[in-house]
Amino acid sequence: MTTARQLFSGFDLRQNDRQPLYAALKRHIAEAVEQGRLKEGDFVPSERDVADLLQVSRVTVRKAFANLAAEGILSQRRGSGTMVRRPAKRFEESMSRLTSFTEDMRLRGLQTSAEWLGRAASLPSPEEAMKLSLSPNDNVLRFSRLRRANDLPLAIEISAVPAHWLPGLEAVDTSLYEALQKVGARPVRAMQRLHAIALPSDKASLLHVATGAPALFIERVGYLASGAAVEYTRSWFRGDSYDFVAELVTVPEAS
Ligand code: 16G
């Protein structure tokens, strides 16, 4: 087993004082896994050893471990310690997975909160009807939220869900995907497109930026395994605070 001293030799936890301690610790461990200093199946030093060596509280170490476990990098088993589960993935890779805003932010170690801008049951707009393959008389539930990460307003999202998928407007608390999951209707596939826009004044003021500031406008249609469309979400992400990264691979030519 790698000792705490080996794992953290030369490491200065406080070198970046704008980063919370647990995040710096988490990053260091993730890098050790990425660089192969910690391998799949290796045990990591105990919370107590790390806390003693680095002179931080066990809560800090626990938070770093819990975040790494949530990302699937470590696995924690009561009584038997914490081990490396798989090579660390970079955050960016998560962009090719179908994750929710709440999950995305959790993976980055950020706290999310949502401010409700509105929720309503109504007939679909022509655009919503098209994207969700609804007839003009079907109902949708529409959820509008200002989404924050560590209190920074990051995105405005307007989601429309065919009304029959959710028990009602109150079904969504903090996470739409959690609510859909509960009723077995979480999307398993999505089509997404994005383009750059200049924010109009109403959206700019919600996002605390100047009118005309750049943003990413993203549309997502989420589908169930049956092929039914279950969400149509439009998001306006602040251009200065969010990166979308996609991993591209060569597809072998069909013979
Ligand atoms: C993301 C999705 C959005 C989805 C939401 C659910 C993008 C561009 N959009 O923001 O389509 O509705 O997550 O998040 O990623 P929630 O479960 O936290 O409400």
Side-chain angles (χ1 to χ4, degrees):
M1 179 174 121
T2 317
T3 64
R5 210 165 277 286
Q6 286 165 336
L7 181 57
F8 294 103
S9 88
F11 171 60
D12 177 9
L13 184 61
R14 293 170 179 85
Q15 68 190 352
N16 177 354
D17 58 11
R18 286 175 55 203
Q19 198 177 34
L21 292 179
Y22 84 87
L25 182 56
K26 176 188 159 193
R27 174 181 292 232
H28 181 79
I29 298 173
E31 276 172 9
V33 176
E34 219 172 295
Q35 293 159 5
R37 285 183 287 129
L38 280 174
K39 300 202 171 44
E40 208 166 333
D42 280 354
F43 279 96
V44 296
S46 70
E47 267 173 32
R48 180 198 299 249
D49 286 356
V50 177
D52 285 352
L53 180 77
L54 300 177
Q55 297 289 292
V56 292
S57 76
R58 285 182 68 171
V59 176
T60 300
V61 183
R62 194 167 306 144
K63 192 163 175 190
F65 282 13
N67 270 263
L68 290 160
E71 284 185 41
I73 295 169
L74 296 183
S75 92
Q76 295 177 293
R77 242 171 256 145
R78 202 177 282 276
S80 62
T82 302
M83 60 157 60
V84 177
R85 197 161 117 195
R86 63 153 178 76
K89 287 226 154 85
R90 294 177 186 280
F91 286 144
E92 290 81 351
E93 288 197 28
S94 71
M95 305 321 292
S96 56
R97 286 194 274 136
L98 184 55
T99 48
S100 69
F101 184 88
T102 309
E103 291 160 344
D104 265 358
M105 295 304 133
R106 201 180 292 144
L107 288 178
R108 288 157 195 249
L110 304 176
Q111 294 284 338
T112 53
S113 59
E115 184 180 315
W116 285 96
L117 304 174
R119 45 174 126 197
S122 81
L123 294 174
S125 67
E127 202 183 9
E128 288 166 346
M130 292 264 292
K131 304 277 185 190
L132 295 168
S133 302
L134 295 175
S135 85
N137 308 324
D138 292 325
N139 266 315
V140 292
L141 302 180
R142 201 174 296 118
F143 305 98
S144 309
R145 294 173 289 171
L146 174 64
R147 317 222 52 181
R148 296 178 204 267
N150 279 8
D151 286 337
L152 177 80
L154 200 56
I156 297 164
E157 290 198 313
I158 303 179
S159 305
V161 174
H164 56 268
W165 289 118
L166 285 172
L169 285 169
E170 301 306 318
V172 180
D173 180 14
T174 49
S175 164
L176 172 63
Y177 278 16
E178 237 170 74
L180 290 170
Q181 176 123 32
K182 274 193 197 146
V183 293
R186 182 183 163 126
V188 295
R189 185 175 72 80
M191 286 297 287
Q192 191 163 293
R193 69 172 191 183
L194 60 144
H195 62 255
I197 57 156
L199 282 169
S201 64
D202 58 329
K203 298 209 164 50
S205 79
L206 283 169
L207 291 171
H208 295 186
V209 290
T211 301
L216 284 172
F217 174 68
I218 307 171
E219 287 180 292
R220 179 186 285 189
V221 183
Y223 299 92
L224 302 178
S226 66
V230 71
E231 75 153 326
Y232 169 49
T233 297
R234 286 170 296 156
S235 313
W236 291 260
F237 275 82
R238 263 173 70 157
D240 59 351
S241 315
Y242 208 63
D243 283 344
F244 279 91
V245 177
E247 185 188 40
L248 308 177
V249 293
T250 313
V251 178
E253 275 178 43
S255 52

